[in-house]
């Protein structure tokens, strides 16, 4: 662990621990008494009841619920009590047999039914508190939209380390590139990502997707994916709106520490391909970029050809300033994979008796991964076998990553009718990867071997600060208007400093090494920095009436992006002889050298100067851009029971969104999109019985192009080795969405659900290949239309109904079937699905959970069918990623004194990741590698 990372981790841990110390005495006092806490909701819709009275029968002890229906009664002597819950207009309920133990918190949620002709008090026996997964299912049952979710409980069971790995368990969700989520086969611009209800900026130069691997799973309370649109949410999602919720108001004091170590099957600890050195930033002596078109006259670094003595000296100094770090990957030992986390939460009384909730947490992980026997190849139609190999390389890769994350969330209830929340989150990932590939390009010379190297450091951060408020505008009660507001500022950065590429070749017949610029690019170093910030604000007013409520509100979002990129290539490569030793060549043959050969120092004889290899500016100003997007929205919607139709609920209305999106490159080229869209929505929920619903929904949503896609610029993707050309003529996409779902919640944590959906796209944006070479050149265009339709099946059931010995077993799973088609601008069906679309996805799991023994064992299975990876140029077969089976096994055992041991084996099958093209009668693999198995052993301590 580097010293700077150690300082950050210690500082973050102190932040967590400083919340613990001052209240140690309070913990001692609370050890002899207990607490009863929970939520009071209305039975019909599951909505919280603020201002409900909760008292202990036969005593004067009691409280009122807050805006979220929460209550908390403290300082109860150990024993058994009866809890009386009442609210005007609802039947009073008495819950008997509420057991309170010293130093423990008893959680009891209560649902009140509206008053009818039968006004007798309801008396029930207390039941065990629902677990968090069951709580989320209850939320789904009462939700206004079609939604799916995964709780912290399931995230923990699956041993998911990030939000990206956790969300794969959600029905219809899949993950590409290990971090970008697809919902119902739609990703990028068709999925909106939020943190605590506020839109997140992207940290990807080329995509609209938010990389969910930046969010440690240990900081999350749940992940909720809404699949249908309502007017009170942003209109820019079609597949789904993914909301990450961090841990919030605690019901009791919590304190947790955990640590783990991981073995990676592909990592040989003394033999991992890794970068060596490199620059953190461009040397200070390099002049800044001028605006406008770069020419030979205004280049920040002068060309070496025809350079005078002063320019030669400057070239020597600049080139030597770039010499830190090797241009080729090195084999080095990798650090042991390990992780640490700590969290603390509690409630306090401040300013007298005002409740203050606090949750803080910090996580740190360090990992090394490797992939051996990698394949990268390309082919076109032709030759006797119908396939012409354009290039074929094999090799390996290695990567190290350090991740630090932290949250600090505060909730203050200054009055029972008012609540204020402040949330902060910070995550940082420093990843350093290296790739070496070797092979041939048959069209040039069948016997010549080409060696390609890539060193890529990526430093990514996300920072979020959010303030929210909820206010009852009156004395409280179910008929009081409610005002809610939120303001959030988020910023993501992606710093790629000193990304290095180097290719050479070797001709064995002549024993000749060379750097052939006529075949491939010169050795190059990239410096790219992306910063994107989002300021989002929401305000809404909900006014109850007899059958429901009317809600009106507005939103304002401002997103800004700044992308700076500079490219430096080595020139004058033919002056000294290259002998196949890259690091020696770029160490001794740079700058001013002796005329008779390379020298390790600058040439001192001013009468006979000679330039060796020198750095040259190869930046294109059109690749540097600034952009902004302003979205203003307003909505009106109603959530009401339908008069005359028992158990039928309608949620719908209209949202209006104005979009002004602008981008300008450093050389003065611009692009703009300015539209106003009307987005209607209608959701129907029919309760066939108390635990069974039928849902139907329609909504119109939009998808906007990214800044990069509609800018007149060119961008190089390091990992995919593709050149992207923007298209300023792109238009936004309009999507019509239809959904139908039947759902049956058979018991706590159990359900059966069947869904169907249909989506019609006007002017969908697609990536297409313009030219195929070692580096593909691609662009973006609006097709005429597209359609997506499919079905989802989901089930989760405990097996105790079969026999009592099976009561600790639970089985679950979901299946997503999807079909899609695309019509081009001429009206022709292209005969292929949308990019990233799998015909079907499968998730299944079996869990054994025995609370008496403290033992949990879970097996998780995931499969996605072949999905379109890359759309190729006309008359060439597209590239598909082959489907993969994944099996994870996770086990945990509770030990005395709050200690828990956990063992997980991830990616047990270790199937190959493979991308292929289907030529007539022949299949050609373009990418192939294995990610490896991991075995993790961890220990956790939880305060009891």
């Amino acid at each position: 662990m580097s010293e700077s990372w150690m300082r950050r981790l210690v500082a973050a841990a102190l932040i967590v621990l400083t919340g613990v110390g001052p209240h140690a005495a309070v913990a001692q006092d609370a050890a002899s008494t207990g607490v009863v806490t929970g939520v009071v909701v209305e039975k019909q819709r599951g909505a919280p009841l603020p201002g409900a009275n909760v008292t202990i029968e036969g005593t004067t002890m009691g409280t009122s619920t807050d805006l979220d229906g929460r209550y908390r009664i403290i300082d109860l002597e150990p024993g058994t009590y009866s809890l009386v819950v009442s609210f005007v207009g609802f039947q009073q309920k008495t819950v008997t047999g509420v057991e309170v133990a010293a130093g423990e918190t008893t959680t009891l949620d209560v649902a009140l039914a509206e008053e009818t002709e039968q006004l007798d008090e309801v008396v029930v026996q207390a039941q065990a508190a629902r677990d968090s997964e069951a709580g989320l299912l209850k939320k789904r049952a009462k939700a206004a939209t079609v939604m799916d979710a995964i709780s912290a409980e399931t995230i923990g069971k699956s041993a998911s380390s990030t939000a990206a790995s956790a969300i794969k368990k959600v029905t219809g969700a899949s993950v590409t590139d290990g971090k970008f989520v697809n919902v119902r086969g739609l990703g990028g611009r068709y999925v909106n990502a939020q943190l605590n209800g506020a839109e997140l900026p992207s940290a990807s130069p080329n995509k609209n997707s938010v990389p969910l691997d930046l969010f440690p799973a240990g900081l999350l309370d749940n992940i909720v994916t809404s699949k249908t649109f309502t007017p009170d949410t942003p209109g820019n999602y079609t597949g789904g709106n993914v909301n990450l919720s961090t841990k919030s108001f605690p019901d009791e004091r919590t304190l947790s520490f955990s640590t783990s170590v991981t073995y990676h099957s592909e990592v040989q600890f003394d033999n991992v391909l890794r970068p060596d050195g490199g620059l953190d930033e461009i040397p200070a002596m390099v002049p800044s970029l001028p605006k406008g078109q770069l020419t030979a006259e205004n280049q920040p670094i002068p060309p070496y050809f025809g350079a005078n003595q002063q320019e030669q000296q400057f070239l020597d100094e600049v080139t030597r300033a770039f010499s830190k770090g090797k241009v080729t990957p090195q084999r080095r030992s990798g650090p042991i994979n390990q992780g640490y986390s700590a969290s603390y939460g509690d409630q306090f009384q401040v300013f007298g008796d005002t409740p203050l909730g606090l949750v803080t947490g910090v996580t740190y992980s360090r990992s090394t991964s490797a992939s051996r026997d990698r394949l990268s190849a390309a082919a076109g139609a032709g030759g006797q076998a119908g396939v012409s190999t354009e290039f074929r390389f094999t090799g390996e890769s290695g990567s190290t990553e350090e991740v630090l994350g932290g949250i600090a969330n505060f909730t203050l209830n200054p009055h029972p009718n008012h609540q204020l929340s402040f949330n902060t989150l910070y995550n940082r990932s420093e990843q350093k990867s290296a790739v070496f590939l070797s092979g041939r390009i048959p069209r040039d010379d069948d016997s010549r071997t080409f060696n390609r190297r890539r060193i890529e450091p990526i430093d990514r951060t996300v920072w979020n600060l959010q303030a929210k408020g909820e206010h009852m505008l009156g004395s409280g009660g179910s008929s009081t208007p409610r005002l809610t507001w939120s303001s959030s500022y988020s910023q993501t950065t992606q710093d790629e400093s000193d990304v290095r590429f180097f290719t050479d070749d070797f001709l064995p017949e002549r024993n000749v090494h060379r750097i052939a610029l006529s075949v491939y690019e010169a050795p190059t170093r990239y410096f790219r920095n992306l910063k994107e910030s989002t300021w989002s604000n929401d305000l809404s007013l909900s006014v109850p009436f007899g059958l429901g409520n009317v809600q009106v509100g507005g939103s304002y979002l401002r997103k800004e992006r700044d992308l700076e990129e500079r490219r430096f290539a080595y020139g004058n490569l033919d002056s000294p002889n290259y002998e196949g030793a890259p690091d020696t060549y770029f160490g001794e043959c740079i700058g001013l050298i002796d005329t008779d050969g390379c020298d390790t120092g600058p040439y001192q004889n001013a009468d006979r100067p000679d330039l060796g290899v020198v750095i040259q500016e190869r930046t294109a100003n059109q690749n540097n851009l600034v952009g902004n997007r302003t979205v203003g929205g307003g909505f009106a919607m109603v959530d009401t029971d339908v008069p005359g139709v028992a158990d039928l609920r309608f949620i719908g209305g209209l949202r209006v969104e104005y979009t002004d999106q602008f981008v300008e490159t450093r050389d003065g080229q611009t692009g703009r999109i300015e539209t106003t869209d009307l987005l209607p929505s209608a959701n129907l929920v029919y309760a066939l019985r108390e635990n069974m619903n039928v849902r139907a929904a329609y909504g119109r949503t939009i998808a906007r192009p990214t800044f990069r896609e509609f800018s007149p610029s060119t961008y190089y993707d390091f990992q995919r080795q593709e050149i992207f050309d923007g298209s300023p003529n792109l238009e936004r996409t309009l999507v019509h969405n239809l959904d139908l779902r039947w759902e049956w919640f058979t018991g706590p944590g159990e359900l059966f659900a069947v869904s169907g959906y249909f989506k019609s796209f006007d002017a969908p944006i697609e990536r297409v290949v313009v030219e195929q070479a070692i580096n593909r050149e691609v662009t973006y265009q609006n097709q005429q239309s597209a359609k997506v339709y499919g079905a989802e099946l989901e089930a989760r059931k405990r097996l105790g109904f079969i026999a009592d010995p099976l009561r600790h077993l639970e089985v679950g799973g979901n299946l997503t079937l999807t079909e899609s088609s695309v019509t081009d601008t001429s009206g022709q069906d292209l005969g292929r699905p949308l990019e990233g679309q799998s015909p079907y996805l499968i998730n299944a799991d079996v869990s054994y959970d025995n609370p008496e023994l403290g033992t949990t064992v879970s097996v998780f299975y995931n499969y996605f069918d072949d999905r379109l990876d890359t759309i190729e140029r006309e008359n060439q077969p597209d590239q598909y990623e082959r489907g993969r089976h994944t099996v994870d096994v996770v086990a945990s055992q509770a030990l005395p004194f709050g200690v828990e041991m956990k063992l997980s084996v991830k990616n047990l099958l270790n199937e190959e990741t493979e991308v292929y093209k289907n030529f007539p009668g022949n299949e050609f693999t373009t990418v192939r590698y294995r990610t490896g198995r991991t075995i993790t052993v961890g220990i956790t301590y939880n305060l009891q």
Side-chain angles (χ1 to χ4, degrees):
M1 188 189 307
S2 66
E3 184 178 352
S4 63
W5 274 95
M6 179 64 77
R7 286 198 302 266
R8 294 180 191 135
L9 182 60
V10 171
L14 287 174
I15 292 174
V16 176
L17 296 178
T18 52
V20 182
H23 309 286
V26 180
Q28 271 187 335
D29 295 339
S32 60
T33 60
V35 175
V36 175
T37 186
V39 179
V40 179
V41 300
E42 57 174 286
K43 185 176 181 179
Q44 184 177 6
R45 295 191 182 181
L49 285 175
N53 294 315
V54 184
T55 59
I56 300 296
E57 190 175 52
T59 74
T60 59
M61 302 182 71
T63 187
S64 297
T65 57
D66 64 13
L67 286 173
D68 293 322
R70 290 191 300 254
Y71 70 92
R72 179 180 173 90
I73 304 175
I74 63 174
D75 297 332
L76 291 172
E77 295 294 331
T80 302
Y81 296 90
S82 294
L83 200 70
V84 180
V85 185
S86 61
F87 192 76
V88 177
F90 288 79
Q91 287 181 291
Q92 180 173 298
K93 177 178 285 189
T94 298
V95 184
T96 63
V98 180
E99 296 183 359
V100 176
E104 295 186 7
T105 297
T106 301
T107 301
L108 186 68
D109 297 341
V110 180
L112 297 184
E114 292 186 29
E115 286 184 345
T116 60
E117 293 182 2
Q118 177 63 40
L119 297 180
D120 294 339
E121 179 182 9
V122 178
V123 180
V124 297
Q125 180 72 22
Q127 297 180 353
R130 305 293 189 231
D131 58 25
S132 55
E133 187 65 21
L136 269 182
L137 290 181
K138 289 172 63 177
K139 181 178 178 180
R140 284 179 54 178
K142 304 299 182 181
T145 64
V146 173
M147 58 174 282
D148 294 303
I150 181 170
S151 69
E153 178 195 18
T154 301
I155 292 173
K157 278 186 178 181
S158 65
S160 299
S161 59
T162 68
S165 57
I167 201 170
K168 290 189 292 185
K169 311 298 188 295
V170 174
T171 304
S174 61
V175 174
T176 60
D177 297 334
K179 51 193 168 190
F180 301 119
V181 63
N182 283 11
V183 180
R184 291 175 168 175
L186 300 169
R189 67 183 60 82
Y190 300 117
V191 174
N192 188 46
Q194 296 180 320
L195 180 67
N196 297 318
E199 184 170 333
L200 282 166
S202 172
S204 172
N206 192 52
K207 295 184 177 181
N208 195 44
S209 302
V210 174
L212 296 184
D213 63 327
L214 269 176
F215 300 90
L219 302 181
L220 300 178
D221 204 30
N222 57 65
I223 304 174
V224 175
T225 302
S226 299
K227 297 180 176 178
T228 57
F229 166 66
T230 53
D232 58 331
T233 58
N236 60 326
Y237 66 92
T238 297
N241 184 71
V242 179
N243 185 40
L244 311 179
S245 295
T246 55
K247 296 184 181 300
S248 58
F249 207 101
D251 290 326
E252 60 181 326
R253 172 168 298 169
T254 62
L255 176 63
S256 174
F257 297 95
S258 67
T259 181
S260 64
V261 293
T262 300
Y263 164 77
H264 192 292
S265 65
E266 296 292 303
V267 172
Q268 301 170 13
F269 292 105
D270 59 345
N271 187 20
V272 180
L273 208 61
R274 297 179 62 188
D276 190 353
L279 297 172
D280 294 329
E281 57 186 14
I282 299 170
M285 67 179 64
V286 178
S288 58
L289 283 172
K291 287 194 173 183
Q293 201 73 28
L294 289 183
T295 64
E297 289 73 25
N298 67 359
Q299 284 282 351
I301 299 178
Y304 60 85
F305 181 76
N308 59 37
Q309 183 176 338
Q310 183 179 359
E311 290 172 334
Q312 287 181 337
Q313 185 66 37
F314 179 72
L315 285 170
D316 175 79
E317 294 174 358
V318 169
T319 304
R320 294 184 186 282
F322 274 89
S323 62
K324 179 182 178 182
K326 300 182 183 298
V327 297
T328 60
Q330 308 295 306
R331 296 193 181 278
R332 300 170 55 193
S333 61
I336 296 175
N337 294 358
Q338 54 194 288
Y340 307 91
S341 68
S343 65
Y344 171 74
D346 205 350
Q347 273 196 49
F348 313 106
Q349 302 295 317
V350 297
F351 309 120
D353 58 353
T354 300
L356 171 67
L358 165 69
V359 173
T360 60
V362 60
T363 67
Y364 170 81
S365 65
R366 182 176 67 184
S367 61
T368 301
S369 60
S371 177
R372 307 180 191 276
D373 300 320
R374 295 183 71 97
L375 169 69
S376 177
Q384 294 182 350
V387 179
S388 174
T389 301
E390 297 177 354
F391 65 86
R392 182 181 180 88
F393 296 97
T394 59
E396 62 181 294
S397 66
S399 176
T400 61
E401 184 177 20
E402 289 183 284
V403 178
L404 176 67
I407 62 169
N409 296 341
F410 305 87
T411 301
L412 181 70
N413 290 353
H415 184 274
N417 291 347
H418 303 278
Q419 182 181 92
L420 301 173
S421 300
F422 304 93
N423 302 325
T424 62
L425 177 141
Y426 174 82
N427 287 309
R428 181 171 184 176
S429 163
E430 289 186 6
Q431 183 179 38
K432 298 179 180 179
S433 60
V435 179
F436 176 81
L437 298 171
S438 180
R440 295 198 297 270
I441 305 177
R443 68 170 186 263
D444 292 323
D445 193 322
D446 287 339
S447 62
R448 188 177 298 278
T449 300
F450 295 82
N451 300 309
R452 307 190 69 185
R453 308 161 182 89
R454 183 178 85 236
I455 295 174
E456 186 176 6
I458 302 179
D459 187 349
R460 297 179 295 159
T461 65
V462 57
W463 178 72
N464 175 267
L465 177 63
Q466 184 181 52
K468 298 193 296 183
E470 294 187 49
H471 311 276
M472 300 294 288
L473 305 181
S475 58
S478 59
S479 60
T480 303
R482 176 182 296 216
L483 179 71
T484 61
W485 59 269
S486 68
S487 183
S488 172
Y489 179 82
S490 300
Q491 184 181 98
T492 58
T493 64
Q494 180 161 310
D495 185 12
E496 297 164 284
S497 292
D498 208 5
V499 179
R500 284 155 275 172
F501 294 87
F502 175 60
T503 302
D504 65 358
D505 60 74
F506 173 65
L507 186 60
E509 289 87 349
R510 296 167 52 191
N511 194 28
V512 172
H513 296 269
R514 69 171 186 171
I515 302 174
L517 303 188
S518 60
V519 182
Y520 42 79
E521 287 188 356
T524 303
R525 303 172 82 152
Y526 278 88
F527 294 79
R528 178 185 295 158
N529 183 271
L530 167 69
K531 181 172 70 175
E532 184 167 302
S533 60
T534 299
W535 183 40
S536 61
N537 302 272
D538 295 278
L539 178 70
S540 68
L541 176 65
S542 178
V543 180
F545 62 92
L547 295 175
N549 64 78
V550 173
Q551 188 176 353
V552 295
S555 63
Y556 173 83
L557 181 142
R558 173 76 173 183
K559 181 172 290 191
E560 296 182 349
R561 169 174 283 211
D562 191 343
L563 178 60
E564 297 180 354
E565 173 186 297
R566 294 188 75 170
R567 172 175 170 248
F568 301 92
Y570 285 96
N572 203 28
L573 297 167
D574 297 330
S575 179
N577 292 325
Y578 176 64
E579 299 179 352
D583 293 316
T584 300
Y585 180 63
F586 288 99
E588 300 179 359
C589 299
I590 62 174
L592 289 167
I593 60 171
D594 288 327
T595 55
D596 296 330
C598 299
D599 191 2
T600 57
Y603 181 66
Q604 301 299 323
N605 188 346
D607 295 331
R608 291 193 307 122
D610 192 14
L611 282 174
V613 177
V614 292
I615 280 288
Q616 295 284 275
E617 181 91 44
R618 291 291 183 266
T619 302
N621 257 347
Q622 66 178 14
N623 294 346
N624 291 264
L625 61 88
V626 294
N628 60 74
R629 176 189 296 160
T630 301
V631 179
F635 72 91
M637 62 177 286
V638 62
D639 183 346
T640 179
D641 296 333
V642 177
V645 184
D647 302 317
L648 181 62
R649 178 183 173 195
F650 171 81
I651 309 99
L654 178 68
R655 184 178 183 88
V656 180
E657 284 195 353
Y658 166 76
T659 303
D660 184 2
Q661 184 167 320
F662 175 79
V663 67
E664 181 178 11
T665 62
R666 195 172 182 87
D667 61 356
Q669 301 182 70
T670 61
R672 187 169 219 129
I673 295 177
E674 190 173 6
T675 62
T676 299
D677 294 291
L678 301 179
L679 307 175
S681 166
N683 289 260
L684 289 171
V685 184
Y686 181 62
L688 294 174
R689 58 177 72 169
E690 185 177 347
N691 61 349
M692 184 185 296
N693 296 323
V694 174
R695 298 176 179 271
Y698 165 78
R700 182 161 67 186
T701 57
I702 59 176
R704 305 177 180 97
T706 66
F707 291 113
R708 171 63 74 182
E709 289 172 344
F710 87 106
S711 70
S713 59
T714 300
Y715 158 84
Y716 184 71
D717 187 299
F718 304 134
Q719 294 184 347
R720 295 181 66 97
Q721 300 174 17
E722 292 178 333
I723 300 170
F724 290 89
D725 296 323
S727 177
N729 298 320
L730 286 177
E731 301 175 357
R732 58 94 176 90
T733 304
L734 276 175
V735 189
H736 300 269
N737 306 271
L738 292 171
D739 285 80
L740 185 65
R741 171 176 283 189
W742 169 83
E743 54 193 12
W744 182 22
F745 301 90
T746 56
E750 300 179 343
L751 87 156
F752 296 92
V754 179
S755 307
Y757 55 90
F758 174 83
K759 301 177 183 295
S760 176
F761 298 73
D762 295 332
I765 301 170
E766 286 205 311
R767 184 179 64 166
V768 294
V769 174
V770 178
E771 183 179 348
Q772 177 71 59
I774 294 181
N775 297 317
R776 286 189 297 270
E777 184 175 355
V778 302
T779 189
Y780 307 88
Q781 67 182 39
N782 288 104
Q783 303 289 9
Q784 184 181 101
S785 63
K787 290 181 174 59
V788 175
Y789 56 93
E792 296 171 336
L793 294 87
E794 183 178 8
R796 181 159 301 281
K797 185 68 176 176
R798 293 188 175 93
L799 301 185
F801 73 98
I802 298 176
D804 187 66
L806 300 179
R807 68 186 184 279
H808 299 304
L809 278 177
E810 180 183 272
V811 297
N814 54 73
L815 169 66
T816 303
L817 306 171
T818 306
E819 291 289 337
S820 61
S821 61
V822 184
T823 302
D824 66 14
T825 53
S826 67
Q828 178 182 355
D829 188 343
L830 296 177
R832 59 164 175 79
L834 287 168
E835 191 173 0
Q837 192 89 66
S838 288
Y840 61 91
L841 299 168
I842 301 175
N843 284 297
D845 62 86
V846 179
S847 295
Y848 172 82
D849 189 355
N850 189 327
E852 290 83 7
L853 299 177
T855 304
T856 302
V857 181
S858 302
V859 180
F860 297 90
Y861 167 78
N862 172 266
Y863 176 75
F864 68 86
D865 198 21
D866 297 11
R867 58 191 179 196
L868 181 58
D869 179 80
T870 304
I871 301 169
E872 292 287 5
R873 67 189 188 277
E874 191 176 357
N875 300 323
Q876 289 292 329
D878 298 322
Q879 297 192 50
Y880 284 80
E881 182 179 0
R882 194 177 303 282
R884 275 194 314 280
H885 302 268
T886 303
V887 174
D888 300 335
V889 180
V890 183
S892 65
Q893 177 62 54
L895 301 175
F897 310 111
V899 177
E900 181 184 40
M901 293 289 295
K902 181 173 287 187
L903 171 69
S904 68
V905 182
K906 310 298 286 290
N907 195 25
L908 186 63
L909 303 179
N910 194 22
E911 290 194 346
E912 289 181 331
T913 297
E914 182 180 3
V915 179
Y916 67 91
K917 299 173 73 170
N918 261 327
F919 292 92
N922 202 333
E923 186 178 276
F924 185 90
T925 298
T926 59
V927 175
R928 183 173 60 229
Y929 61 90
R930 296 184 190 273
T931 57
R933 302 178 182 89
T934 60
I935 302 174
T936 300
V937 178
I939 184 169
T940 299
Y941 166 75
N942 291 293
L943 177 68
Q944 291 187 319

